[in-house]
């Protein structure tokens, strides 16, 4: 006890000491149970930032579009398998049935091919005009001259 309380006149010292003891225990309990008045926890994360609704909506739309395209392709493939059994790549139109310049183009292509073969034969059968051994000798002479100079 502190000096001020000791100097105070009381009726019963035992009762006063119990009273003071209880007050001190109550004070200690209040100090232990006390909560801070300032909220220093991290802020709650915004749920609208975690869900990313727009991105999810765009992805759902894209997946729906892909599903639709896949279904159409599957229907086309099943139609081909049921009725024709193969790929329809023929054009029965009269517009594409014949070509007026087909023979002329074929003859022109054969003529060009023959000319290319002749040119290739001439290139392969000609003798080289450069003598590589003479080049090597001249390079060696040039190197010798450079060595003598320096």
């Amino acid at each position: 006890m502190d000096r001020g309380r000791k100097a105070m006149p009381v009726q019963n010292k035992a009762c006063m000491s119990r009273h003071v003891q209880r007050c001190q225990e109550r004070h200690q309990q209040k100090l232990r149970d006390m909560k801070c008045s300032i909220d220093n926890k991290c802020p709650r994360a915004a749920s609208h930032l975690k869900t990313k609704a727009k991105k999810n909506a765009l992805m759902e739309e894209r997946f729906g579009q892909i599903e639709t395209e896949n279904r159409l392709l599957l229907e086309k493939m099943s139609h081909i398998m049921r009725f024709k059994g193969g790929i329809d790549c023929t054009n029965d139109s009269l517009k594409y049935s014949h070509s007026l310049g087909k023979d002329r183009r074929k003859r022109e292509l054969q003529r060009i091919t023959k000319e290319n073969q002749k040119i290739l034969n001439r290139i392969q059968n000609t003798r080289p005009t450069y003598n590589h051994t003479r080049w090597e000798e001249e390079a060696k002479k040039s190197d010798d001259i450079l060595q003598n100079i320096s």
Side-chain angles (χ1 to χ4, degrees):
M1 285 194 193
D2 57 318
R3 290 187 182 153
R5 252 189 234 143
K6 282 187 175 183
M8 266 176 46
V10 291
Q11 294 288 328
N12 191 344
K13 288 185 181 183
C15 288
M16 184 62 181
S17 67
R18 271 197 319 252
H19 173 70
V20 169
Q21 185 70 28
R22 268 191 249 123
C23 286
Q24 285 179 349
E25 287 174 5
R26 200 175 313 130
H27 177 68
Q28 291 294 325
Q29 185 65 35
K30 284 183 179 181
L31 287 176
R32 281 192 298 270
D33 294 343
M34 183 172 49
K35 294 182 180 177
C36 63
S37 60
I38 297 173
D39 182 20
N40 57 2
K41 293 183 269 183
C42 62
R44 289 184 307 168
S47 64
H48 68 282
L49 296 177
K50 284 184 180 178
T51 57
K52 298 178 184 173
K54 184 170 184 174
K55 182 180 177 183
N56 290 340
L58 289 173
M59 291 297 285
E60 285 295 325
E61 182 179 331
R62 179 68 181 137
F63 290 148
Q65 184 180 10
I66 289 171
E67 286 294 324
T68 305
E69 290 173 359
N70 286 344
R71 185 179 46 78
L72 287 173
L73 285 173
L74 186 62
E75 287 176 5
K76 288 178 182 179
M77 288 172 59
S78 65
H79 176 74
I80 289 171
M81 295 300 277
R82 275 184 283 146
F83 293 107
K84 296 179 183 172
I87 298 174
D88 182 21
C89 61
T90 59
N91 194 344
D92 299 331
S93 173
L94 290 176
K95 181 179 177 183
Y96 299 106
S97 64
H98 61 284
S99 175
L100 296 176
K102 182 178 178 183
D103 293 333
R104 185 178 61 78
R105 284 196 310 272
K106 197 178 216 180
R107 283 192 307 271
E108 181 70 17
L109 183 63
Q110 288 174 349
R111 182 186 64 79
I112 291 171
T113 306
K114 285 180 184 177
E115 286 179 9
N116 287 342
Q117 285 293 330
K118 287 178 184 177
I119 292 171
L120 179 65
N121 284 334
R122 276 187 272 157
I123 290 173
Q124 288 176 342
N125 292 334
T126 56
R127 293 182 49 95
T129 58
Y130 297 112
N131 188 351
H132 66 89
T133 56
R134 194 174 85 204
W135 278 4
E136 289 173 0
E137 290 171 3
E138 289 175 1
K140 193 172 184 180
K141 285 180 186 176
S142 298
D143 288 340
D144 290 341
I145 293 171
L146 283 174
Q147 288 295 328
N148 289 337
I149 291 173
S150 57

